[in-house]
């Protein structure tokens, strides 16, 4: 048990982190130890880079009230397998879950998501299942690029309207 990383991260007020902090050596070492995320109540967004490169984070339960997951919030969380999304969620930003290579399933059916940002799930190489609600209207470019297990395997190269229609058809 001593060799296992353990650490928690508290997300509050959107937890926006500047680009300089994301690239600092101290943050890179600290974020590797994060195994859980606790969200304060009364926040409405997960800010830019909030959990970027938290490589030991396995699951995340995003609480009700959060409406936006912003740029690169969970990018590079290579151990992330399970995400619970709230009904209040309306937008997933650019690169939000890029390179989450263990993420196998995303279920947004019970949410109010209207928009998936560009490259939101790029290189999620284990992603096999994606469920989207009828509220989904906007879809960024290359949202599923490199998601070779998601059917059809070339989904990342398809026109946005075709991708949305396909994802709705498999619900």
């Amino acid at each position: 048990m001593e060799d296992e990383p353990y650490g928690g991260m508290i997300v509050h007020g959107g937890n926006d982190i500047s680009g300089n902090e994301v690239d600092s050596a101290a943050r890179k070492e600290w974020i590797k130890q994060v195994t859980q995320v606790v969200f304060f109540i009364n926040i409405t967004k997960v800010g830019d880079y909030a959990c970027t490169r938290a490589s030991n984070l396995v699951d995340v339960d995003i609480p009700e009230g959060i409406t936006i997951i912003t740029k690169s919030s969970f990018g590079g969380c290579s151990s992330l397998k399970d995400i619970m999304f709230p009904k209040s969620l309306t937008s997933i930003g650019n690169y939000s879950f890029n390179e989450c290579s263990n993420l196998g399933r995303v279920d947004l059916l019970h949410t109010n998501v209207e928009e998936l940002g560009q490259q939101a799930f790029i290189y999620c190489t284990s992603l096999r299942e994606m469920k989207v609600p009828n509220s989904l209207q906007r879809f960024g470019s290359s949202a599923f690029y490199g998601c070779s297990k998601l059917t059809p395997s070339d989904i990342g190269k398809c026109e946005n309207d075709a991708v949305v229609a396909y994802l709705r058809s498999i619900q």
Side-chain angles (χ1 to χ4, degrees):
M1 201 71 150
E2 290 178 15
D3 294 327
E4 290 183 37
Y6 177 79
M9 177 175 173
I10 297 173
V11 176
H12 55 87
N15 205 29
D16 289 328
I17 299 168
S18 74
N20 293 336
E21 291 176 33
V22 170
D23 293 331
S24 75
R27 185 182 190 283
K28 284 180 181 178
E29 287 306 309
W30 169 77
I31 199 73
K32 288 179 188 176
Q33 303 306 310
V34 173
T35 59
Q36 69 179 24
V37 178
V38 176
F39 294 89
F40 276 165
I41 57 174
N42 299 325
I43 64 169
T44 59
K45 73 174 184 174
V46 179
D48 294 352
Y49 308 104
C51 298
T52 296
R53 299 184 194 119
S55 57
N56 285 300
L57 186 61
V58 176
D59 56 52
V60 174
D61 188 355
I62 300 170
E64 192 60 42
I66 291 181
T67 59
I68 300 169
I69 298 172
T70 63
K71 180 171 66 177
S72 297
S73 295
F74 295 94
C77 292
S78 55
S79 297
L80 189 59
K81 290 182 180 183
D82 190 36
I83 309 163
M84 297 296 297
F85 296 98
K87 181 177 182 176
S88 57
L89 188 65
T90 60
S91 179
I92 295 177
N94 299 343
Y95 316 102
S96 291
F97 296 96
N98 67 309
E99 298 180 19
C100 291
S101 54
N102 277 309
L103 188 59
R105 180 177 183 271
V106 173
D107 186 353
L108 297 169
L109 277 178
H110 63 282
T111 71
N112 290 306
V113 167
E114 298 171 358
E115 177 178 23
L116 292 180
Q118 70 181 16
Q119 301 181 12
F121 293 93
I122 190 170
Y123 296 119
C124 289
T125 54
S126 295
L127 190 60
R128 297 176 317 282
E129 184 178 353
M130 181 79 189
K131 294 184 177 186
V132 298
N134 288 333
S135 59
L136 182 63
Q137 300 299 314
R138 290 175 300 285
F139 196 84
S141 64
S142 303
F144 299 105
Y145 187 83
C147 297
S148 57
K149 292 185 180 178
L150 193 59
T151 304
S153 61
D154 66 346
I155 196 166
K157 299 175 185 174
C158 298
E159 292 292 323
N160 292 346
D161 290 342
V163 173
V164 172
Y166 171 74
L167 292 173
R168 285 184 180 154
S169 74
I170 60 171
Q171 306 309 324

